[in-house]
Amino acid sequence: MAQSRPLSGFLTPDVIQQVKDALRAYGGRGALFLGNFFVSKVIAYFGPLVLAAVLSAQHYGELELALSIAMMLALFAVFGVANALPQLVLLRNPVPVKDILAILTGGASAVFLVAGAIILIFTGNLVWALACCITTLTTIQYSASAYAKTHSLRNIATWVDNFTLVTATILGVGLAAMGYGHSPTLAPMLIVFAVLAVACTAACFYIAKTTWQPHMIDRLKRAMRLGAPLIIMTIFSSWVAAAAGRTLIGFTLPIEDMALYAFLFRIASLALVIHYMISTAFYAPFYSMSARRFEQIIPFYLAFVACVCATFAIGVPLLLPYLPSNVLTPETITVGQHIFPVLALNIYGVNVSASLESRVQRVRRVTWGTLNAAIVSSLVAAAFIALAHYHLLSLRAAVWLITAQTLICTLRYMDVLARRGMYMPKVATVVCCAYAALGVLALLLGG
C-alpha cells in the first residue's frame, strides 16, 4: 500500500517562490479591483433601495420608469458599434476605436438632449424629459463600459458599468438632503440630470477630438457592419433581462405598483453580483472560451447561483417588514411577500440568459436568438395590453408573465445553440432542474 506523500513534499522552495511571485505580481491589482468592484456595486445595487427610502413612492416610481426607458433608448444610440468592440479588439486585428466610439456617443447624447428639450417645451412631460437626460448618461455608460472591458481596464469598468445608477443615487440622495425628495414635481431632479448630461456630452466630443485617428470613416463602417446584427439581440436581451417588467408595469398599472416592483427587483438583482464580478474581471477570456471549457465550468456556477436565488426567495419575504422604504406599506408588504419568490426565479433566468448570450454570438446565431426573443416578448406585451384593457391585470399576474418570458427565452437560447451543434447537456440539466425547483418554491411561497 502506497504511503501518502507529506505536505512538505509539495511545498518545495520552487513552488513557494512561484506563489510569492504571483502574489507580488497580481495581489495588489486584485485587491484594488475587488475594492473598486465592491464599492461601485454597493452604490449601484443598494443606491436605488436608498432612493426608495428618501424619495416619495411616486417620485421613486417615476425615476425607475425613466431609468427603464433610458436603458432601451440608449441601445439604439451608437448603431451597434459598442457591441462590435469584442470582435474588433479581441477576435480580429486590433483597430483604433476610441475616436469613433466617442464621436458617436457624443452625437447621440446631443440628439437625446435636444429631444428632451422639445418634449419638455411642447408637452411638459417631465418623466419623458428626464428619461431623455438619463438616456444620455446611459449611452455614455454603455460605450465606456464596452471600451473598458474589451481593453481589460477592470478598475475603470467597475465604475463606468454602473455610471447611471451611481449618479442617480448621488443626485437623488443630494436632492432629498436639500428637501426635494417629496417635492410636488420632478423639476429639481430634471434640472440636475440635465446639467450633468450636458457636461458629459461635451466630454465625449473632447475625447473624440483628442484621439482622432486616420481612416475614421472606414473603421466606422466596418464597426457598424459588425455591430448592426448584434444590436438587435442586445435590445431584446436587455428588454427581457431588466426593462420589460418596469416598462410594461409602468404603463399598464398604477405608478405605486411600478415602484413596488422596481424596489423588489432591485433586491432580487443582488443575486447577479457574482455574474457581474466575473464578467467584468474576465470578460475577454470568458468571451473567447471554448465550448468544451464552457460546458465544464458553467454548470457549477449556475448551480451555485440557483442556491443563492433559492435563499433569497425564502429569506427576503421575511425581512420585508423591517426594511425602511416609502414604497412599503402594510398592504404592499403582503403583496411583495407573495411576488418576491417569483422574482427570484426570474432573476435566475436573467443570469442564465446573460451566461448564454456570448455563446449565441460566438456561433453566429444572433438572428435566430433575436427572432425567438422578439416573438416571446411580443406575445407577453400583447398579453399585458389585453389583460390591462379588460382590467384583469394584477401585479402578481404581471410578475408571472415577465418571469415566463425570461424562462422561455433562455430555453430557446439553448435550443438555438444545440441546433448549431453546441450541445451542453450539463448546462441544460442544471438549468432545467433549477427552474423546476425555484418554480415549485415560488408556487409554494407566493402562489
Side-chain angles (χ1 to χ4, degrees), residues 75 78-87 146 226-227 230-231 234 283 361:
L75 293 173
V78 293
F79 306 103
V81 172
N83 304 83
L85 290 194
Q87 296 189 45
L226 292 171
L230 300 177
I231 187 174
T234 304
Y283 181 84
Q361 294 177 7

Side-chain angles (χ1 to χ4, degrees), residues 195-406:
V195 171
L196 180 60
V198 170
C200 290
T201 302
C204 289
F205 286 118
Y206 176 78
I207 294 173
K209 179 181 178 181
T210 56
T211 60
W212 195 276
Q213 296 287 329
H215 311 294
M216 178 185 175
I217 300 300
D218 293 336
R219 290 183 288 113
L220 179 59
K221 290 180 179 179
R222 179 184 177 188
M224 292 177 66
R225 283 197 304 269
L226 292 171
L230 300 177
I231 187 174
I232 305 301
M233 179 180 181
T234 304
I235 289 170
F236 280 103
S237 62
S238 297
W239 173 260
V240 171
R246 286 178 292 172
T247 305
L248 292 173
I249 291 174
F251 284 111
T252 57
L253 291 174
I255 196 66
E256 291 78 13
D257 286 347
M258 161 62 185
L260 177 61
Y261 173 84
F263 178 75
L264 296 176
F265 183 84
R266 295 293 185 187
I267 297 176
S269 296
L270 293 173
L272 294 173
V273 169
I274 301 171
H275 171 78
Y276 287 125
M277 183 172 67
I278 293 175
S279 63
T280 300
F282 306 105
Y283 181 84
F286 185 80
Y287 187 88
S288 307
M289 185 183 296
S290 66
R292 178 178 298 180
R293 187 66 174 163
F294 187 88
E295 170 73 351
Q296 291 174 344
I297 295 176
I298 297 303
F300 295 99
Y301 162 71
L302 293 178
F304 173 74
V305 174
C307 295
V308 173
C309 290
T311 303
F312 272 49
I314 296 172
V316 171
L318 301 177
L319 299 176
L320 283 183
Y322 307 100
L323 297 180
S325 174
N326 292 322
V327 173
L328 297 177
T329 64
E331 293 78 14
T332 58
I333 288 174
T334 301
V335 176
Q337 288 173 330
H338 282 90
I339 67 174
F340 188 85
V342 189
L343 271 174
L345 170 61
N346 179 58
I347 287 297
Y348 181 73
V350 170
N351 202 305
V352 175
S353 176
S355 300
L356 294 177
E357 278 180 29
S358 63
R359 299 293 98 187
V360 176
Q361 294 177 7
R362 284 291 306 274
V363 299
R364 300 185 183 277
R365 280 297 180 266
V366 173
T367 302
W368 284 107
T370 302
L371 179 61
N372 290 324
I375 293 173
V376 175
S377 299
S378 299
L379 292 175
V380 170
F384 261 88
I385 295 172
L387 291 174
H389 178 74
Y390 292 105
H391 305 287
L392 299 175
L393 185 66
S394 65
L395 183 57
R396 185 181 301 183
V399 173
W400 271 111
L401 282 172
I402 295 300
T403 302
Q405 171 183 268
T406 304

Side-chain angles (χ1 to χ4, degrees), residues 409-432:
C409 284
T410 57
L411 293 176
R412 291 297 299 159
Y413 276 168
M414 288 191 288
D415 179 63
V416 168
L417 291 172
R419 291 175 182 272
R420 182 63 173 171
M422 187 178 289
Y423 297 100
M424 297 183 293
K426 294 179 182 178
V427 173
T429 301
V430 169
V431 170
C432 291

